Amino acid sequence: MSKGDTGSVETTPRVYGAGHKLIGKNYVTADLYAKVTGQAKYAEDFHAEGMLFCKLLLSPLPHARVKHLDVRQALAMPGVKAILTADELPPPADTLTDNGTVIRANPKSERALTMEPLYQGEPILAVAAVDEFTAAEAIEKIRIEFEPLPFAIDPLDTLRPGGPNPRTDGNIWVQSPTPPAVVGAPPPAPPPPTIGALKWTEAEFADAKYGRLPMGKTPDEWSFGDIEAGFKDAALVLDETFVTPDTSHQPLETRSALAYWQNGKVYVHTGTQSTAQTVPAIARWLNIDVSKVVLVSEYTGGGFGSKVTAGVSLIIPALLSKKANAPVMMRISREEETFIGRARPSLLGRMKVGFSKDGRIIALDMFVISNNGPYDANGDVPTSGRIVSLLYQPVAMRWRGVTMLTNTPPRSAQSAPGGLQGIVIMEPIIAKAARKLGLDQVAIRRVNCPEGKAPFGPEVKGKRPYATSAFLREALDRGAEQFKWSERVARTPKRIGTKVRGVGVSLSCYVGGTVGFDGLLVIKPDGRVNFQSGIGNLGTESVIDVHRAGAEVLGVPWEKCDVTWGDSSKNLPFTCVSGGSQTTHAMTRAAYATAMDARQKLKEIAAKKLGGKPENYDVANERVFRKGGGAGMTLAQAAKYAIQLGGIYDGHEVSADLNRRTKASAVALAGQGLLAAAKDNYPRDGVTFSYIASFSEVEVDVETGKYNIVDFLAYADVGSVIHPRSLGGQVLGRSILGIGHAIGQKWVYDPHYGAMLSTRFYQSKPPTILDVPVDMQWAALDIPDPETPVGARGVGEPPVGGGCASILNALSDALGDEIFQRAPVNADTILTSLEAGRPMQHPLMAHI
Amino acid sequence: MSDIEDPKTIECPPNTLTRRDLIKRVIVGGVAVSSASYLFRASTLLRQSAPGTGERLLTINVNGQQRRADVMKQETLAWTLRHKLGLTGTKLGCDRAECGSCTVLIDGVPHYSCSVLTHTVRDRKVLTIEGLASSDGTLHPVQQGVIDEQGFQCAFCMPGFIMAAVAFLKTNPNPTRSELAQGLSGNLCRCQDYDKILTAMMRGAENMRGASRV
């Protein structure tokens, strides 16, 4: 179907999945009918008999201690059933990971409620009542006194000599060494990190006066190659500061949850990014056994990293329900979502980059500081360095970074965590270098872009780790051709009246997959194949898509396949979290392994029943049959035989290498047909990444400062395409998520009170349908990754950085290099800076 | 804060309130708003009734049926639909007329049901996502367009988008992509699947034109 009424980018419909029946083909996902008719039930759509509602008392101060608390008047109100305070929370539990490592609980990590709030909006207590009016009125009747404590919302403020500490004992996490191993005992767990204080000197802060990021001591540092030699040889050296915004995830469905207890088990309804992995997380937060947790999460209204497993929003209704002995629904308002709903940390970055005259990056000195919020350190700071080292392949590089605690809402991974920030700090520098060196923007990226088994990061045990594959240069070339890059660059005049056009290109990449998870399927005696899916259903459709790879291997038409998902009591296998773009890669591998296990069992059953050896048989067209013609049977018949044979054929015996949760699910499903369960043990040489080349054109009105995105194209190197429509949705959807960081999303604070001013959509507005071109374009190379049997890599994160950076590069193409040194770029940024001829926004201050 | 009213909610049915009045009334009726933006009376369990929160039995026409519900003075249509009538297809994404997830049709005109008081729709026809397909299960052409193009991702915004599109396409049956984008601009999709949504809705428009020719 032709899309357009603009027609400015040529649409060439690509055919994906050559040689496959299901892989690479479009189809209708099994969850779509319920969604389109309003029958799909999200957490807040459930109702339990006698359900109570819950409201939270949130801290009005960014850092304080509760001095006095009196809940008697509230508790005496008719309709108020229970009040939960921090002293009633279970003590934090240690985590036993699936490979047997113990992660010690950190008493200084986030709890569900607190008497020492560390950010404005942190929950202090919760009230359960017959309705929300009563619960809210009860909150008003609670008498509470706070002792205000020093606070810091800006990471540089707390780093200054004598600056305030966000926590009473400091402003950074410090990891003590693991105690030495004792012979014969299990390896000791590392102690939980403690809090320390990091302050820089006035001398180290001197650069801040000139708008350059000060660079004091950092706890973390790595390097490879000789950067000083690189800078000496460079034809051009740039030293630039850039600041990225803090952005809330803002899923349209807030993290509401319903919880109730039956027979000692807690039932939780909520949106999550993993059905399988959220169960142990709930158990850990509640300090109960995993067998006591049932999670229902069939539909999730968006996550983007903010709904990875369990957190505050599940634990409060679960504990209140236990206390009140009634179901409790905690609906989260949009403001509450801003406070407890997670966000991406901003990164303050400074890069010194040395270029050869053909644009090759021969030396790169990278320095980043993150604004982490008050709790556990996010990985954005170290990840930003690794992604930059992979994407631009510097000959020599040093990376330094520090994760600063602040009294702002807790952060978590958001689509391409650290990747977006690293790319957005780096890309404007490359754009500027190309202009200074007289090079084409595509050409300078061509010479730096990763290829094949590209190395990244510092040496580990004497060797730098490397990617499984990269075909980004081909994506860049094909994208430039489809976008008509050269024609757009050559087009004159750039300015017509008050409108100036600019074009931008950006490279982008992120981790694209993990390994080692399990698959589980049952071929039923009626010939249908049931895939058990532990993947969260947050809209990417990987919950269903990945099983198409299994059906393809089994030669079963999709109409004969069912997928079970969204309820942890329905016997699901050990599955990755749908975060970090792992799923398509990890779970197509597991689906493939499981289908291969089913094929082997089908062949063995056929050999047992019909004679010969298993290898004499083949599986296709819903049959297992002797190669070259002759005897065979249908999958339905084989399933019946599997039940008769029992043992390994119907799930009574399963492979020892499966995860314990997969084994438990197999036990429960045993005897229903031919059961196949397998762990992904396929080798993988390298770390899996996916890549995008992003192109955009903007039109800026220099009289008003307003600008429009005229065209956008993302060309993806994400391995084999599994489901074109859902892939296209991810490539463009996540590009726009990144574009939001360029065109307007950010946090704004009142620095005097440490109070957030941007708590709603209209104050930190995600892009609307009018903010993006009506005819966006995407395409994928569809080159299989050589290190995974299905060839597919993940896609969610890689487009994000390129979406943002290509817009920034298009803006600097239109307006020059002296307009902005932070994102987002708004109309007022453009107007004031154009007039002054230099960036007029404060270069370093947080949350402006 | 500006006194300019949001044009989308000014087009309320006669006898209804502006957005500003509505928020004021909900707040006055709701006792407290400081810590809670969602404030609704969910049940009649509470014996002691605060002033201004008394419920009244109303009959409203929803999806072609006369439905009766005990409704508070300050109760919004979204709450009545979701919690009194069991029609949870209408979603609440912001509860303050920012996101459009709660869009329903009142006499064929799209409204944010989070910002319409239930007692103002007594004599009007309300259509929600649940009432769009035919009684024999045949999907509305716009719903079918979503199926045809795998529109939307998490789909939390989908009911609101579909209702807005159904109303827009009735008066603009043959829009360009730009025109349709304008028509849907009161709805937010946080998966930012706008391109695929627009393609699905254009397919819906095509389906609608096809259906009207039959």
Side-chain angles (χ1 to χ4, degrees):
Chain A
M1 178 175 155
S2 157
K3 282 205 301 185
D5 49 275
T6 61
S8 42
V9 179
E10 197 170 294
T11 315
T12 329
R14 288 211 49 183
V15 179
Y16 295 109
H20 294 294
K21 282 185 173 159
L22 300 176
I23 291 172
K25 310 295 178 194
N26 284 319
Y27 72 108
V28 179
T29 56
D31 61 342
L32 194 53
Y33 185 86
K35 286 174 172 176
V36 86
T37 51
Q39 293 163 359
K41 284 206 164 206
Y42 299 74
E44 210 175 294
D45 301 337
F46 287 92
H47 187 98
E49 199 53 42
M51 183 170 94
L52 303 176
F53 285 84
C54 160
K55 291 307 302 177
L56 300 170
L57 193 157
L58 305 179
S59 172
L61 299 173
H63 188 192
R65 198 174 286 121
V66 176
K67 265 170 65 186
H68 177 75
L69 178 65
D70 180 355
V71 302
R72 285 171 297 178
Q73 246 193 310
L75 210 47
M77 279 176 60
V80 172
K81 299 297 184 187
I83 295 178
L84 187 75
T85 49
D87 55 334
E88 297 166 274
L89 301 175
D94 292 348
T95 312
L96 181 65
T97 66
D98 287 294
N99 58 21
T101 319
V102 174
I103 298 172
R104 297 261 302 278
N106 189 341
K108 292 191 178 281
S109 287
E110 185 180 25
R111 313 280 306 274
L113 300 166
T114 182
M115 294 293 268
E116 189 194 325
L118 294 173
Y119 65 95
Q120 179 221 12
E122 180 158 25
I124 289 166
L125 58 79
V127 176
V130 291
D131 56 49
E132 284 183 350
F133 273 131
T134 310
E137 196 179 343
I139 296 279
E140 295 299 304
K141 293 204 170 162
I142 285 164
R143 295 172 67 166
I144 186 162
E145 278 175 47
F146 295 96
E147 176 196 349
L149 296 171
F151 67 89
I153 58 164
D154 187 326
L156 290 181
D157 282 351
T158 183
L159 275 166
R160 280 184 188 277
N165 281 331
R167 298 187 64 144
T168 44
D169 36 7
N171 58 5
I172 58 166
W173 289 107
V174 180
Q175 181 65 58
S176 318
T178 306
V182 180
V183 179
T194 54
I195 289 170
L198 177 67
K199 303 288 172 192
W200 291 347
T201 62
E202 287 293 356
E204 285 168 327
F205 259 94
D207 268 2
K209 288 191 202 89
Y210 309 102
R212 291 193 294 267
L213 187 64
M215 296 189 288
K217 279 184 205 67
T218 60
D220 297 312
E221 172 173 351
W222 52 254
S223 64
F224 59 84
D226 185 347
I227 54 168
E228 289 314 323
F231 287 129
K232 211 181 290 168
D233 294 344
L236 172 71
V237 177
L238 295 176
D239 179 354
E240 305 277 332
T241 292
F242 201 92
V243 176
T244 70
D246 296 272
T247 51
S248 295
H249 294 67
Q250 296 174 314
L252 206 50
E253 178 205 28
T254 59
R255 57 206 60 239
S256 299
L258 165 65
Y260 48 89
W261 295 75
Q262 283 177 359
N263 294 321
K265 281 190 183 184
V266 64
Y267 289 72
V268 179
H269 295 253
T270 195
T272 173
Q273 291 182 217
S274 173
T275 314
Q277 300 264 2
T278 302
V279 171
I282 294 172
R284 189 171 69 246
W285 275 78
L286 291 174
N287 210 343
I288 59 176
D289 191 77
V290 284
S291 64
K292 302 293 182 199
V293 178
V294 177
L295 171 73
V296 181
S297 183
E298 290 176 357
Y299 297 90
T300 297
F304 322 115
S306 73
K307 292 179 184 166
V308 170
T309 77
V312 171
S313 57
L314 304 190
I315 299 328
I316 293 169
L319 292 172
L320 258 181
S321 168
K322 193 171 197 181
K323 190 171 183 187
N325 197 25
V328 172
M329 165 70 82
M330 184 164 81
R331 303 193 319 126
I332 296 297
S333 72
R334 185 49 57 189
E335 281 96 346
E336 288 164 343
E337 179 71 17
T338 303
F339 293 128
I340 69 170
R342 313 294 108 162
R344 181 197 301 280
S346 62
L347 251 58
L348 296 86
R350 183 164 170 187
M351 303 263 199
K352 187 175 168 192
V353 191
F355 296 86
S356 67
K357 66 178 190 312
D358 63 348
R360 183 80 180 95
I361 296 168
I362 52 178
L364 172 55
D365 196 5
M366 174 172 183
F367 189 100
V368 284
I369 303 171
S370 82
N371 187 341
N372 184 73
Y375 291 115
D376 290 7
N378 286 284
D380 294 58
V381 162
T383 304
S384 68
R386 285 187 171 76
I387 291 295
V388 164
S389 73
L390 173 64
L391 192 56
Y392 305 100
Q393 295 289 300
V395 176
M397 176 171 176
R398 174 168 66 157
W399 171 90
R400 288 172 290 167
V402 58
T403 298
M404 295 308 302
L405 305 184
T406 57
N407 299 104
T408 54
R411 310 302 201 280
S412 76
Q414 184 185 110
S415 298
L420 171 131
Q421 297 98 314
I423 293 164
V424 166
I425 294 165
M426 189 67 189
E427 276 287 341
I429 300 171
I430 297 179
K432 187 175 188 176
R435 281 188 279 275
K436 292 213 180 276
L437 293 166
L439 297 169
D440 176 70
Q441 297 289 353
V442 169
I444 193 171
R445 285 164 180 82
R446 257 190 129 259
V447 302
N448 289 301
C449 103
E451 188 166 36
K453 293 211 161 353
F456 65 91
E459 285 185 358
V460 180
K461 291 175 188 157
K463 191 168 191 277
R464 291 183 66 201
Y466 49 87
T468 55
S469 67
F471 308 101
L472 179 55
R473 192 165 292 146
E474 191 166 344
L476 183 64
D477 289 345
R478 289 215 210 171
E481 195 187 333
Q482 183 171 334
F483 198 68
K484 296 191 165 49
W485 174 262
S486 305
E487 286 174 40
R488 285 179 200 253
V489 169
R491 194 176 47 210
T492 50
K494 274 176 82 167
R495 177 168 179 162
I496 300 172
T498 61
K499 304 278 178 69
V500 186
R501 288 214 171 196
V503 286
V505 54
S506 171
L507 301 178
S508 196
C509 75
Y510 206 74
V511 177
T514 50
V515 297
F517 296 93
D518 298 342
L520 181 59
L521 68 83
V522 182
I523 303 174
K524 298 284 179 72
D526 63 359
R528 295 190 72 82
V529 180
N530 196 87
F531 295 94
Q532 300 293 109
S533 189
I535 302 169
N537 184 13
L538 57 155
T540 67
E541 303 300 355
S542 59
V543 62
I544 299 165
D545 286 351
V546 298
H547 302 293
R548 306 261 291 173
E552 174 108 26
V553 170
L554 274 175
V556 180
W558 189 242
E559 298 69 40
K560 293 275 182 74
C561 296
D562 303 297
V563 179
T564 300
W565 83 87
D567 183 337
S568 72
S569 69
K570 289 185 177 168
N571 308 311
L572 308 175
F574 175 57
T575 308
C576 70
V577 168
S578 282
S581 301
Q582 304 170 66
T583 315
T584 299
H585 178 266
M587 299 318 291
T588 52
R589 289 168 71 101
Y592 189 88
T594 309
M596 292 305 280
D597 181 50
R599 278 178 74 97
Q600 180 59 27
K601 284 173 178 162
L602 284 166
K603 291 177 190 177
E604 287 174 19
I605 291 168
K608 277 182 199 293
K609 292 289 167 187
L610 303 170
K613 291 179 176 165
E615 53 268 34
N616 301 139
Y617 288 86
D618 204 354
V619 179
N621 301 321
E622 301 177 71
R623 290 178 61 80
V624 51
F625 53 89
R626 204 180 260 276
K627 284 178 191 166
M633 66 175 81
T634 63
L635 296 195
Q637 287 166 327
K640 284 175 198 144
Y641 287 133
I643 296 171
Q644 285 173 15
L645 289 165
I648 61 166
Y649 297 106
D650 73 344
H652 279 97
E653 288 169 34
V654 292
S655 175
D657 66 354
L658 293 171
N659 181 277
R660 59 201 147 99
R661 279 172 268 160
T662 313
K663 285 179 187 165
S665 294
V667 166
L669 293 169
Q672 295 185 14
L674 190 159
L675 185 143
K679 181 182 177 185
D680 155 25
N681 285 321
Y682 297 108
R684 176 179 66 157
D685 182 23
V687 180
T688 312
F689 292 89
S690 281
Y691 313 83
I692 304 271
S694 314
F695 301 83
S696 58
E697 177 164 351
V698 299
E699 183 184 72
V700 190
D701 188 327
V702 291
E703 213 155 72
T704 64
K706 186 175 165 16
Y707 61 94
N708 295 318
I709 303 165
V710 180
D711 275 316
F712 184 84
L713 165 70
Y715 215 107
D717 164 21
V718 293
S720 301
V721 173
I722 299 293
H723 180 189
R725 284 196 180 115
S726 64
L727 173 62
Q730 287 293 301
V731 169
L732 292 181
R734 296 308 183 85
S735 293
I736 303 177
L737 190 143
I739 288 173
H741 293 67
I743 68 172
Q745 280 182 286
K746 60 179 177 181
W747 279 358
V748 179
Y749 259 80
D750 177 334
H752 185 73
Y753 294 105
M756 195 198 278
L757 305 174
S758 51
T759 57
R760 300 200 61 97
F761 281 136
Y762 76 91
Q763 293 154 327
S764 180
K765 193 185 70 147
T768 75
I769 200 165
L770 299 181
D771 290 324
V772 293
V774 290
D775 231 344
M776 300 181 83
Q777 303 292 322
W778 73 276
L781 288 176
D782 204 13
I783 301 173
D785 186 279
E787 301 291 344
T788 179
V790 185
R793 305 199 218 102
V795 66
E797 343 278 298
V800 180
C804 180
S806 70
I807 300 297
L808 296 176
N809 289 344
L811 285 170
S812 63
D813 180 53
L815 303 169
D817 289 312
E818 306 307 325
I819 300 301
F820 55 88
Q821 61 178 67
R822 62 190 298 163
V825 180
N826 293 323
D828 58 340
T829 318
I830 293 173
L831 278 186
T832 53
S833 303
L834 267 180
E835 204 162 275
R838 62 186 174 87
M840 285 302 283
Q841 270 179 315
H842 194 288
L844 297 172
M845 190 186 286
H847 313 303
I848 57 167
Chain B
M1 192 181 176
S2 158
D3 277 320
I4 298 167
E5 305 291 353
D6 178 351
K8 180 119 187 175
T9 43
I10 285 177
E11 300 163 26
C12 280
N15 307 324
T16 60
L17 305 157
T18 63
R19 167 181 167 161
R20 211 171 174 68
D21 286 340
L22 177 123
I23 292 172
K24 273 190 217 154
R25 285 218 197 170
V26 171
I27 291 170
V28 169
V31 181
V33 77
S34 59
S35 63
S37 75
Y38 278 150
L39 284 176
F40 294 102
R41 185 160 300 276
S43 70
T44 52
L45 286 175
L46 185 63
R47 309 288 178 261
Q48 181 195 326
S49 193
T53 59
E55 298 190 344
R56 180 177 290 187
L57 187 65
L58 293 187
T59 304
I60 51 174
N61 186 303
V62 180
N63 299 334
Q65 291 182 313
Q66 296 293 111
R67 301 287 303 266
R68 285 151 72 85
D70 287 319
V71 172
M72 296 171 287
K73 264 189 189 170
Q74 76 277 26
E75 185 166 312
T76 66
L77 180 56
W79 186 264
T80 309
L81 292 170
R82 290 181 49 79
H83 288 264
K84 304 280 176 75
L85 302 180
L87 297 170
T88 54
T90 299
K91 304 299 182 204
L92 283 170
C94 72
D95 207 30
R96 284 289 184 276
E98 293 173 70
C99 77
S101 303
C102 62
T103 304
V104 300
L105 305 191
I106 301 171
D107 288 344
V109 178
H111 286 274
Y112 295 151
S113 64
C114 75
S115 302
V116 172
L117 294 180
T118 307
H119 72 81
T120 65
V121 300
R122 264 180 289 187
D123 305 319
R124 322 197 75 84
K125 288 197 170 75
V126 177
L127 185 66
T128 74
I129 188 75
E130 289 93 342
L132 210 50
S134 316
S135 49
D136 67 356
T138 309
L139 294 178
H140 185 280
V142 173
Q143 289 173 309
Q144 189 57 49
V146 175
I147 301 271
D148 295 342
E149 296 289 343
Q150 188 74 37
F152 299 87
Q153 292 177 28
C154 84
F156 196 81
C157 68
M158 189 204 281
F161 263 99
I162 289 181
M163 299 315 290
V166 165
F168 181 81
L169 292 171
K170 240 181 233 170
T171 46
N172 305 273
N174 196 8
T176 63
R177 280 177 79 90
S178 309
E179 288 163 353
L180 186 54
Q182 289 286 344
L184 300 174
S185 61
N187 293 69
L188 201 58
C189 164
R190 187 53 182 133
C191 299
Q192 318 262 235
D193 201 18
Y194 295 126
D195 194 75
K196 197 145 56 65
I197 291 172
L198 209 43
T199 301
M201 301 286 112
M202 287 297 279
R203 176 66 82 94
E206 208 178 297
N207 293 345
M208 267 175 94
R209 293 194 298 273
S212 64
R213 275 198 298 271
V214 175

